[in-house]
Amino acid sequence: MTTRPAAVIVLAAGEGTRMKSSTPKVLHELAGRTLIGHAVAAADALDPDHLMVVVGHGRDEVVAHLAEVAPRAAAAVQEQQLGTGHAVGCALEVLPPLDGIVVVTYGDVPLLTGDTLEELIGQHAAEGNGVTVLTAEVDDPASYGRIVRDSDGAVVRIVEYKDADQSTRLIREINSGIYAFDADVLRAGLSRLTTDNAQGEQYLTDVLELARADGRRVGALVTGDPWQTEGVNDRVQLATLHRELNRRLATRWMRAGVTIVDPASTWLDVTVTLERDVVLRPGVQLHGATVVREGAEIGPDCTLRDTVVGAGSAIVRSHAVGAEIGELASVGPYSYLRPGTRLGSQGKIGGFVETKNTDIGEGAKVPHLTYAGDATIGDGVNIGAGTIFANYDGVDKHHTSVGAHTFVGSNSVLVAPVDLADGSYVAAGSAVTSATEPGDLAIARGRQRNVKGWVDRKRSGTASDEAARQARARQTDSDVVEGSDR
Ligand code: UD1
Ligand code: MG
């Protein structure tokens, strides 16, 4: 049974001074989402009637970001950070009167999943609790709030580290700060909070003791996965949680049929999609909306962002952003595919090639040392080594079209705008500025002229001169030998 909560309130007003950053803490990223993005995604999985983020420090930036990534989320402002209880109060003030379950989470706890929140509200409902808190047993409880239980094991209260005596500090069950409340219990508790504590703050944790005093049951879900309760306060924790999240993502994909040769050097955003029998070799980073279709092999050493790779294709040591690669195609090593690159099925982008806003047809090949920008390259085309699509005249960008099965000789410059017809040829070393007709050969280069005896006169005594002499002598000898045969 799933119980939809009336609201999820995500606390994110704190400053995050230990990040030492001009970016608000909850806007720091791991695995392709901000901290607040992860928190909101977990909250959203519960499909609550209201999703409210409490913002304070850096709120303009945080609100703008939320509008982009989570239009469903509303924001409540907490002007001054007077404590977690006060923060929840700020959210309730702007929400309509609520009835049912209210979940509270933090904006800086990125590994928490929707499933764990489901489990929390499931237990809350099943036990008929007024409050259910998510806790964890840890080896080093550090400065977390401690869960105090009575001799029957019932949760009595939460004591903050700064308010705890020595024996309370020995407790290893900690408060994650994530709770399910009955809305009426939450309201009744918040209205009675004091600031009579070591930090002079309104502690949300005090609501538990107040609920018990009112005769309501207080429960705890002890998670076996403490990573899900860990927050980010500094960049060391950000990196630690990123690595753990990445390990989890890699494990999930391997279980789904993806080979990941070296999970530790393979970095995946949560938004990436991989199909069966994909192979990821060491040093691969897949970002954003990247999709890798069945059996494609990526790496070693590739970075792909918002890129689709067709089934059975292979990419080696390359960087792609906003590219679309067809089936059974190949890319790399050492190529750079920029936005708007489309490579047709069985097509090839080889080594040291840069492409941008270019559509490359089925079976077409751009094998070596080329720049192709703002171009349409037809099916079966062969672009010779070192070809440059000169798309920019210093003011505007122009388009080049290369018709199907056209052959462009090596080291040519195609000066846009220009159209090469289907089935035409370009001689190597051409600077092409005008269109071809089907079947034409375009030759656009200086005609070769050999200056006889130039080395003799201008480079006399050099190794080249000597080599030329010897070659001439051999030629004369062989003329003589050939002559004597007859
Ligand atoms: C709080 C809990 C503690 C728990 C710990 C888990 C209280 C009194 N204590 O500790 O029992 O072990 O979380 O991490 O609740 N925030 C606001 N407005 C405020 C204060 C905090 O939005 O006025 C937000 C922060 O941005 C942060 C979260 O609430 O996301 C927790 O605040 P923080 O100060 O880190 O937690 P503690 O008070 O140390
Ligand atoms: Mg605090």
Side-chain angles (χ1 to χ4, degrees):
M1 181 196 79
T2 58
T3 313
R4 286 178 60 240
V8 179
I9 297 170
V10 181
L11 305 189
E15 187 170 10
T17 33
R18 279 175 281 167
M19 295 301 280
K20 306 214 168 119
S21 177
S22 52
T23 302
K25 174 165 87 175
V26 293
L27 296 189
H28 283 262
E29 285 186 21
L30 62 164
R33 264 190 198 141
T34 57
L35 286 168
I36 191 71
H38 286 288
V40 166
D44 207 34
L46 301 178
D47 192 23
D49 295 335
H50 302 278
L51 206 179
M52 184 64 69
V53 179
V54 180
V55 296
H57 283 279
R59 66 179 186 239
D60 292 345
E61 275 177 81
V62 176
V63 166
H65 174 69
L66 284 171
E68 221 176 278
V69 302
R72 268 206 63 195
V77 175
Q78 185 192 28
E79 293 285 352
Q80 274 183 298
Q81 281 65 63
L82 304 176
T84 47
H86 179 258
V88 171
C90 290
L92 290 187
E93 255 172 48
V94 298
L95 283 164
L98 299 174
D99 192 23
I101 297 176
V102 177
V103 172
V104 174
T105 70
Y106 291 165
D108 56 6
V109 180
L111 267 58
L112 178 71
T113 64
D115 287 351
T116 298
L117 290 175
E118 290 276 8
E119 204 187 330
L120 181 71
I121 59 178
Q123 181 173 334
H124 180 83
E127 294 181 352
N129 295 337
V131 188
T132 310
V133 55
L134 182 68
T135 73
E137 296 258 12
V138 295
D139 290 336
D140 176 15
S143 60
Y144 282 105
R146 305 297 202 264
I147 304 294
V148 178
R149 294 178 182 256
D150 67 15
S151 52
D152 297 331
V155 176
V156 177
R157 70 180 75 86
I158 296 172
V159 179
E160 290 307 290
Y161 175 80
K162 285 183 180 152
D163 298 290
D165 57 26
Q166 279 311 325
S167 64
T168 307
R169 285 182 182 181
L170 293 176
I171 296 171
R172 293 191 302 109
E173 187 182 4
I174 56 105
N175 171 28
S176 68
I178 295 154
Y179 321 80
F181 294 95
D182 271 9
D184 57 338
V185 169
L186 181 60
R187 263 193 307 269
L190 291 181
S191 68
R192 284 182 278 161
L193 291 184
T194 68
T195 55
D196 186 14
N197 53 54
Q199 300 181 80
E201 289 182 358
Q202 296 178 33
Y203 289 170
L204 181 61
T205 47
D206 288 349
V207 172
L208 278 73
E209 200 175 2
L210 292 164
R212 253 178 83 98
D214 289 345
R216 298 300 301 267
R217 195 175 185 287
V218 174
L221 171 62
V222 188
T223 176
D225 183 11
W227 284 105
Q228 291 205 38
T229 68
E230 282 202 28
V232 170
N233 293 301
D234 62 28
R235 299 189 200 227
V236 175
Q237 290 168 325
L238 182 68
T240 304
L241 290 183
H242 188 181
R243 181 166 288 289
E244 176 59 18
L245 177 54
N246 190 62
R247 195 190 63 75
R248 289 172 182 225
L249 291 167
T251 300
R252 199 181 81 203
W253 285 119
M254 288 188 284
R255 297 220 191 281
V258 172
T259 292
I260 302 182
V261 176
D262 180 23
S265 73
T266 305
W267 291 88
L268 305 170
D269 282 358
V270 290
T271 41
V272 159
T273 304
L274 307 174
E275 293 185 358
R276 281 163 67 107
D277 290 319
V278 160
V279 176
L280 304 181
R281 304 197 185 285
V284 167
Q285 302 96 44
L286 303 181
H287 299 299
T290 293
V291 177
V292 184
R293 303 246 181 256
E294 194 164 335
E297 302 200 4
I298 315 294
D301 301 329
C302 288
T303 303
L304 311 184
R305 179 175 295 282
D306 301 331
T307 289
V308 179
V309 182
S313 292
I315 308 188
V316 177
R317 288 187 211 282
S318 291
H319 188 108
V321 181
E324 211 178 296
I325 295 157
E327 291 179 11
L328 301 170
S330 72
V331 174
Y334 306 109
S335 283
Y336 178 24
L337 280 55
R338 294 165 52 200
T341 295
R342 283 171 47 198
L343 178 61
S345 65
Q346 301 185 60
K348 172 175 180 154
I349 292 175
F352 302 100
V353 173
E354 177 175 333
T355 57
K356 184 214 75 175
N357 190 27
T358 287
D359 205 324
I360 301 169
E362 271 182 39
K365 294 189 165 73
V366 188
H368 334 271
L369 301 151
T370 285
Y371 171 66
D374 301 311
T376 307
I377 297 173
D379 295 347
V381 164
N382 192 302
I383 302 291
T387 298
I388 302 297
F389 288 65
N391 60 327
Y392 185 44
D393 62 12
V395 180
D396 295 312
K397 304 277 169 71
H398 302 279
H399 187 261
T400 298
S401 168
V402 180
H405 298 282
T406 282
F407 181 99
V408 177
S410 296
N411 197 36
S412 293
V413 185
L414 309 180
V415 181
V418 69
D419 278 5
L420 302 181
D422 289 2
S424 56
Y425 267 61
V426 172
S430 290
V432 175
T433 54
S434 48
T436 58
E437 303 268 309
D440 284 357
L441 166 69
I443 308 178
R445 63 186 186 213
R447 203 172 256 286
Q448 183 171 333
R449 176 172 74 97
N450 295 346
V451 180
K452 288 289 165 216
W454 186 90
V455 173
D456 237 0
R457 296 193 301 279
K458 302 287 190 185
R459 295 291 183 272
S460 166
T462 64
S464 305
D465 187 25
E466 184 53 31
R469 276 176 208 288
Q470 288 179 11
R472 270 190 226 110
R474 282 195 302 274
Q475 246 169 10
T476 321
D477 290 351
S478 71
D479 287 351
V480 170
V481 173
E482 275 170 31
S484 67
D485 270 357
R486 315 247 147 136

